[in-house]
Amino acid sequence: MQAKAPPPIAMLAELTHRCPLSCPYCSNPVEMAKLDSELDTETWTRVFQEAAALGVLQLHLSGGEPASRRDLVALVKSAREAGLYTNLITSAIGLSERRLNDLDEAGLDHIQLSLQGTDAVMADKVGGYRGGFDRKMKTVEWIKQIGFPLTLNFVLHRHNAHQLPRALELAQEMGARRIEVATVQFHGWALKNRDALMPTREQAQQVTQLVTEARKILKGQLVIDYVPADYHDDYPKRCMGGWGTTGLNVTPDGQVLPCHAAQSIPHLTFDRVQDKPLADIWYNSSAFNAYRGTGWMSDPCKSCERKTIDFGGCRCQAMAIVGDASATDPVCIKSPLHRALQDQANEHAANSDAPFFYRISPGKATEPAE
Amino acid sequence: MLAQEIPSLPRGVRIYFDSVRDKWVLLAPERAVTLDQVGHAILNEVDGHRCFGHITAILSEKYNAPKEQIAEDSSGFLDALRARRFLDVI
């Protein structure tokens, strides 16, 4: 028997899969939840209370675009009343000055703002939404006036990697305390867009070097969190801080996932907040227990000295590339597929003309399935 | 941290008692830092008005420990919070 799992620290609440943008790397699943199936205000309120009682401290309100929910202010209020630190992850589209003031009054703690590019041409092309960049910049002025703590999230790929220096400047101009430089991770829509988005090995190295230098220069002014390009790496990421140890994710229709891509593992089934208490799902559900600890591993992970450092990497990536969710993440140098993945990454990166496959917004349940 | 510097917790950073884990934590943007007894005692004296010298004097009296020792112990802790933008200093 394994020791009992610790309580989770963070919960990602995907309030909706609707979004005005259609970024080709969207982390939502390719099969999205329909509008009609979204949890209502009362259910989310109960889920927030259950999360706080379970030990969650940090709540990330995400989507899709969470501002697409008409009850966003009410949801923030109920999350704060439950005792959660409340973070809004947004593109800024759908946030008026008045709405931001209401969110301030409701007790919103922090805003994480996504950045698709550092100018309108790049940002609007990546987001597939004309005028989006200008609206974002206008919203930033209101965010500054109110004084919300701000993190900028720059999602980096082959098309915009050269804009990193300007993104660091923008973060400072916006008064952000932190910037997340997040190279696209290839799940969901991004997996379909590897030809268009994969950075070259040289780009990945340059970005790492730039981040290292900027961290020294900007110490104490701007905190830089960095997610490197993992197809080009030699060791995998400690995904989600370890499966079922740190965080959980609730989808718009109430399914509780160990990570946002977990639905790509076909043999897992997920309990819903409508059917079971969150604590029961966290501690007892088959999906959360599937890859907890190290008991599920086989070699090379099983005998590896890094097995409690990275827990064999990402289960969803093992599923997507190796076809076996309990295999070693193929990013790892010890995986038999490591070399093939690196070659594949270089091939993806060489497709300079590859078009974007933009994400498609979810429809209503009454519409015929595609 | 210098004796005349005044530390304060910026907006979005707050001390919180985590009743599930029975521990004090510092909640900050997308982060939660577990506070030990010393860390909690120091941050309890940070009010945005007192300078670092004043804070160490208070703690020295409260815990009956040499002021220099307190300053040495708490300076590193506060500097680390400052580097992560969890603490403003004027």
Side-chain angles (χ1 to χ4, degrees):
Chain A
M1 266 309 274
Q2 282 181 13
K4 196 183 174 198
I9 292 166
M11 182 166 89
L12 184 75
E14 289 181 345
L15 299 178
T16 178
H17 280 156
R18 289 173 287 141
C19 183
L21 304 192
S22 45
C23 304
Y25 47 72
C26 181
S27 66
N28 287 164
V30 176
E31 192 63 42
M32 283 187 267
K34 312 279 187 195
L35 169 60
D36 318 47
S37 62
E38 286 181 10
L39 299 181
D40 61 16
T41 319
E42 290 69 36
T43 309
W44 276 119
T45 299
R46 173 176 61 77
V47 172
F48 296 158
Q49 289 161 355
E50 288 183 9
L54 174 59
V56 169
L57 299 171
Q58 292 275 344
L59 175 69
H60 308 296
L61 297 171
S62 178
E65 171 52 62
S68 297
R69 288 277 304 214
R70 286 191 187 160
D71 56 354
L72 180 63
V73 173
L75 290 172
V76 166
K77 193 161 182 284
S78 69
R80 278 304 308 266
E81 281 167 4
L84 298 169
Y85 189 99
T86 308
N87 172 32
L88 182 67
I89 301 179
T90 180
S91 69
I93 307 299
L95 292 175
S96 63
E97 185 174 16
R98 184 175 164 184
R99 210 152 180 227
L100 282 163
N101 281 317
D102 290 346
L103 287 168
D104 184 24
E105 204 173 310
L108 180 66
D109 285 295
H110 171 254
I111 293 177
Q112 187 198 107
L113 182 69
S114 63
L115 187 72
Q116 289 74 28
T118 56
D119 56 47
V121 174
M122 178 68 73
D124 293 358
K125 185 192 168 203
V126 173
Y129 186 82
R130 192 178 296 175
F133 183 77
D134 289 343
R135 282 177 66 176
K136 191 190 299 284
M137 296 309 281
K138 198 170 173 60
T139 310
V140 165
E141 290 306 314
W142 299 326
I143 290 172
K144 270 167 88 171
Q145 270 169 31
I146 294 172
F148 283 119
L150 178 68
T151 292
L152 198 61
N153 185 358
F154 183 45
V155 182
L156 185 141
H157 45 79
R158 193 169 76 241
H159 290 265
N160 65 6
H162 65 284
Q163 294 190 329
L164 176 58
R166 178 66 192 134
L168 295 171
E169 287 173 6
L170 258 181
Q172 294 172 85
E173 289 164 20
M174 290 176 176
R177 295 180 200 165
R178 187 164 71 100
I179 184 170
E180 208 174 297
V181 177
T183 312
V184 166
Q185 302 294 295
F186 293 99
H187 305 288
W189 292 87
L191 196 63
K192 287 174 173 290
N193 278 291
R194 285 181 294 182
D195 282 344
L197 299 174
M198 186 70 66
T200 65
R201 175 167 276 269
E202 291 71 33
Q203 274 183 319
Q205 286 166 348
Q206 282 164 6
V207 168
T208 298
Q209 196 184 342
L210 227 152
V211 166
T212 309
E213 286 163 10
R215 274 180 173 158
K216 282 183 209 149
I217 295 165
L218 299 173
K219 194 182 173 201
Q221 298 169 56
L222 183 69
V223 177
I224 305 176
D225 286 339
Y226 177 44
V227 181
D230 72 348
Y231 279 35
H232 293 300
D233 246 337
D234 283 340
Y235 289 104
K237 293 187 173 60
R238 179 190 167 100
C239 201
M240 293 296 290
W243 185 277
T245 64
T246 310
L248 72 166
N249 181 18
V250 182
T251 66
D253 56 4
Q255 296 181 68
V256 188
L257 316 179
C259 85
H260 62 76
Q263 286 163 313
S264 66
I265 301 177
H267 66 264
L268 295 181
T269 54
F270 304 102
D271 291 318
R272 302 189 319 157
V273 295
Q274 298 94 314
D275 305 326
K276 283 183 182 174
L278 204 58
D280 187 21
I281 298 173
W282 173 259
Y283 289 114
N284 303 321
S285 73
S286 59
F288 277 87
N289 284 317
Y291 301 108
R292 267 192 176 127
T294 56
W296 54 271
M297 290 177 179
S298 48
D299 275 324
C301 291
K302 194 177 175 182
S303 54
C304 181
E305 71 283 1
R306 291 175 58 89
K307 70 177 174 184
T308 54
I309 296 173
D310 56 34
F311 294 101
C314 173
R315 297 303 89 226
C316 302
Q317 192 143 277
M319 186 70 232
I321 307 223
V322 189
D324 173 5
S326 61
T328 301
D329 185 332
V331 165
C332 184
I333 198 161
K334 294 183 179 181
S335 162
L337 290 170
H338 172 74
R339 176 63 67 83
L341 187 74
Q342 297 223 317
D343 291 345
Q344 196 187 334
N346 291 333
E347 279 170 35
H348 287 306
N351 284 296
S352 53
D353 298 330
F356 287 161
F357 293 108
Y358 287 101
R359 78 158 238 173
I360 301 155
S361 269
K364 293 188 179 175
T366 46
E367 286 175 356
E370 282 176 59
Chain B
M1 183 159 302
L2 305 171
Q4 69 273 21
E5 288 182 315
I6 301 171
S8 65
L9 293 178
R11 178 169 172 170
V13 181
R14 50 194 161 87
I15 302 172
Y16 180 77
F17 184 70
D18 178 348
S19 56
V20 172
R21 297 170 187 82
D22 199 24
K23 279 176 179 158
W24 286 95
V25 291
L26 188 66
L27 294 180
E30 302 182 37
R31 295 286 183 276
V33 182
T34 304
L35 295 174
D36 59 16
Q37 261 184 330
V38 178
H40 183 233
I42 297 165
L43 288 181
N44 254 341
E45 305 303 330
V46 170
D47 65 356
H49 300 288
R50 293 179 189 134
C51 66
F52 183 58
H54 189 177
I55 290 169
T56 50
I58 291 172
L59 291 172
S60 160
E61 195 162 315
K62 209 169 181 176
Y63 295 97
N64 198 21
K67 204 177 153 187
E68 296 69 31
Q69 183 65 46
I70 299 262
E72 201 183 311
D73 290 351
S74 51
S75 183
F77 170 70
L78 292 177
D79 285 341
L81 294 181
R82 185 183 192 176
R84 298 176 73 180
R85 296 292 317 262
F86 296 169
L87 190 78
D88 282 349
V89 180
I90 41 171

